[in-house]
């Protein structure tokens, strides 16, 4: 999850003894740029949170794209090729990565896993009359500041770098937009004489859903490469502006995802994805679209599953085993 390559530290495994070792080692094992490594070493909680954030973001990406042609395959070479280009998928990857880090850090602060941050502080004093701020809110203020610095404050002239940074910020903004105030009542038999409230982040699934929607409505900004030929050129600058590969292109001020290139179809194997041959699909739902008109194979198989489960007092669940015939659909090659 470096500024230039989100999710690249994914295939890293932290062995149990490594966690007990100095956190410096944990930071060194991650693929980080120099400034990022410095920030990682400053707080023993950062390395662990980074790893957690990356796997959370990757899982959410795969969940959100489970019915699509591109199913968020993050295997090394596909990911590397994808990140080199400016597709909508690339934009989503940047945004979900920075959202994941913002989310995980804010939670790590309130969970007491960090040294340099704790709970969210009470906001403006006016609110104190209505209720008492208390509990332990997720520290979004600290985490969003950290993430912006971690991913680099770029005022780059390079359009590509600005697009990536913009999409990173969209991820942080989606987290901010999802903050909810949660309250709990105290007092005799729930009389609620005292109410304690704190700020809580929306569940990460909610964030994934919002970013998926933004992916679907992503805006295209001036392309640096010609999709058909893969060559540089063919930039259509907005009217009244000087042409040029970067610099002057305005990016939206609203939290929209932006991309530079049109996505490939992801139908057949390429350097961006393994294609959809052999992919499982759901008939009447997505077989048409993900099999790209090649049709699908139907396989019938027998599955045994627990069913008619009942809770037995106390304390176990008793199920029967049911055998069912099930059809499995896979895309033709
Ligand atoms: C994505 O699809 C490919 C086949 O195209 C499959 O091998 C892979 O397991 C799928 N990945 C996920 C995360 O579902």
């Amino acid at each position: 999850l470096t500024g230039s390559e989100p999710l690249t530290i994914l295939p890293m495994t932290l062995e149990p003894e490594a966690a007990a070792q100095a956190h410096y080692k944990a930071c060194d094992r991650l693929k980080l740029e120099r400034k990022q490594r410095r920030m990682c070493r400053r707080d023993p909680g950062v390395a662990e949170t980074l790893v957690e954030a990356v796997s959370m973001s990757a899982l959410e990406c795969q969940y959100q794209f489970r019915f699509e042609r591109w199913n968020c395959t993050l295997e090394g070479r596909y990911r590397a090729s994808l990140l080199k280009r400016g597709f909508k998928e690339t934009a989503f990857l940047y945004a979900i990565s920075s959202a994941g880090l913002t989310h995980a850090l804010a939670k790590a602060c309130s969970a007491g896993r960090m040294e340099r941050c704790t709970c969210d502080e009470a906001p403006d004093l006016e609110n104190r009359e209505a209720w008492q701020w208390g509990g332990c809110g997720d520290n979004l203020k600290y985490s969003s500041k950290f993430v912006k610095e971690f991913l680099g404050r770029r005022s780059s002239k390079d359009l590509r770098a600005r697009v990536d940074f913009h999409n990173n910020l969209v991820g942080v903004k989606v987290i901010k937009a999802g903050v909810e105030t949660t309250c709990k009542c105290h007092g005799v038999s729930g009389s609620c004489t005292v109410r304690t409230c704190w700020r809580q982040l929306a569940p990460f699934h909610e964030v994934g859903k919002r970013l998926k929607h933004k992916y679907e409505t992503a805006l295209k900004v001036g392309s640096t490469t010609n999709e058909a030929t893969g060559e540089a050129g063919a930039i259509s600058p907005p009217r009244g502006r000087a042409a040029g590969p970067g610099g002057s292109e305005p990016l939206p001020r609203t939290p929209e995802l932006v991309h530079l290139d049109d996505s490939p179809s992801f139908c057949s194997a390429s350097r961006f994805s393994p294609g959809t041959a052999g992919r499982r699909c759901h008939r009447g739902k997505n077989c048409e679209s993900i099999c790209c008109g090649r049709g699908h194979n139907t396989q019938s198989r027998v599955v045994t599953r627990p069913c008619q489960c009942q809770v037995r007092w106390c304390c176990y669940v008793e199920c029967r085993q049911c055998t069912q015939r099930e059809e499995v659909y896979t895309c033709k090659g």
Side-chain angles (χ1 to χ4, degrees):
L1 192 100
T2 65
S4 51
E5 285 191 37
L7 304 170
T8 42
I9 59 174
L10 184 63
M12 205 210 61
T13 47
L14 265 185
E15 286 118 40
E17 81 267 27
Q21 283 175 12
H23 65 275
Y24 274 36
K25 283 235 174 88
C27 293
D28 293 347
R29 283 165 162 237
L30 305 173
K31 281 189 192 167
L32 298 174
E33 286 162 12
R34 198 186 311 162
K35 183 180 79 177
Q36 294 175 330
R37 192 159 62 216
R38 210 167 49 233
M39 290 178 76
C40 177
R41 287 175 159 196
R42 245 190 265 156
D43 192 317
V46 171
E48 194 192 328
T49 308
L50 274 171
V51 174
E52 185 198 313
V54 168
S55 74
M56 181 171 81
S57 305
L59 283 177
E60 186 58 31
C61 178
Q62 284 169 358
Y63 177 78
Q64 291 299 334
F65 284 85
R66 67 202 183 285
F67 298 132
E68 311 279 335
R69 286 183 194 162
W70 180 71
N71 63 356
C72 199
T73 315
L74 292 173
E75 215 183 293
R77 63 200 172 100
Y78 299 127
R79 177 179 55 202
S81 308
L82 206 68
L83 292 175
K84 272 188 206 132
R85 301 293 296 276
F87 302 135
K88 274 158 77 167
E89 289 73 19
T90 321
F92 183 87
L93 283 177
Y94 274 93
I96 195 96
S97 306
S98 64
L101 184 52
T102 311
H103 197 274
L105 264 179
K107 290 268 175 204
C109 291
S110 61
R113 293 202 305 267
M114 306 281 289
E115 271 180 13
R116 296 168 71 97
C117 63
T118 57
C119 306
D120 173 45
E121 275 160 30
D124 37 2
L125 285 167
E126 307 152 33
N127 278 328
R128 275 182 189 267
E129 288 158 32
W131 62 65
Q132 219 180 336
W133 284 94
C136 180
D138 299 325
N139 198 337
L140 193 59
K141 200 170 151 194
Y142 178 87
S143 75
S144 59
K145 197 165 156 248
F146 183 99
V147 170
K148 280 179 202 167
E149 201 184 327
F150 192 79
L151 299 178
R153 248 177 238 284
R154 296 211 193 118
S155 56
S156 180
K157 277 257 154 76
D158 171 29
L159 179 58
R160 178 57 212 268
R162 284 169 53 225
V163 162
D164 293 343
F165 187 63
H166 173 92
N167 291 328
N168 275 333
L169 286 188
V170 171
V172 178
K173 282 176 187 161
V174 166
I175 299 286
K176 281 189 178 164
V179 173
E180 283 156 17
T181 299
T182 312
C183 297
K184 196 176 158 185
C185 281
H186 307 278
V188 187
S189 56
S191 59
C192 212
T193 41
V194 181
R195 216 148 72 105
T196 326
C197 303
W198 61 93
R199 281 186 290 217
Q200 199 174 28
L201 302 188
F204 200 61
H205 258 331
E206 208 42 54
V207 173
K209 213 163 90 183
R210 283 178 212 177
L211 285 176
K212 176 73 185 326
H213 181 73
K214 286 184 185 293
Y215 157 86
E216 276 149 15
T217 56
L219 296 176
K220 188 173 176 186
V221 294
S223 178
T224 50
T225 47
N226 182 317
E227 184 53 34
T229 63
E231 282 165 18
I235 298 160
S236 49
R239 253 175 290 139
R241 282 187 177 270
S248 57
E249 191 81 30
L251 296 183
R253 290 182 180 277
T254 48
E256 238 100 37
L257 288 181
V258 296
H259 66 109
L260 293 162
D261 304 323
D262 290 322
S263 303
S265 69
F266 297 109
C267 282
S268 46
S270 71
R271 62 186 188 282
F272 303 118
S273 80
T276 61
R279 259 288 287 285
R280 244 186 108 162
C281 62
H282 301 262
R283 199 162 84 163
K285 197 169 176 189
N286 69 346
C287 284
E288 278 295 300
S289 79
I290 80 166
C291 301
C292 307
R294 297 184 307 256
H296 58 265
N297 294 317
T298 307
Q299 230 182 357
S300 195
R301 67 175 186 189
V302 176
V303 285
T304 306
R305 277 205 193 91
C307 63
Q308 294 173 17
C309 296
Q310 283 182 326
V311 177
R312 296 274 178 218
W313 198 261
C314 171
C315 308
Y316 65 97
V317 177
E318 203 176 65
C319 298
R320 296 174 66 171
Q321 294 294 319
C322 298
T323 305
Q324 278 176 316
R325 198 157 262 292
E326 192 187 69
E327 313 265 85
V328 176
Y329 308 100
T330 48
C331 292
K332 286 186 178 170

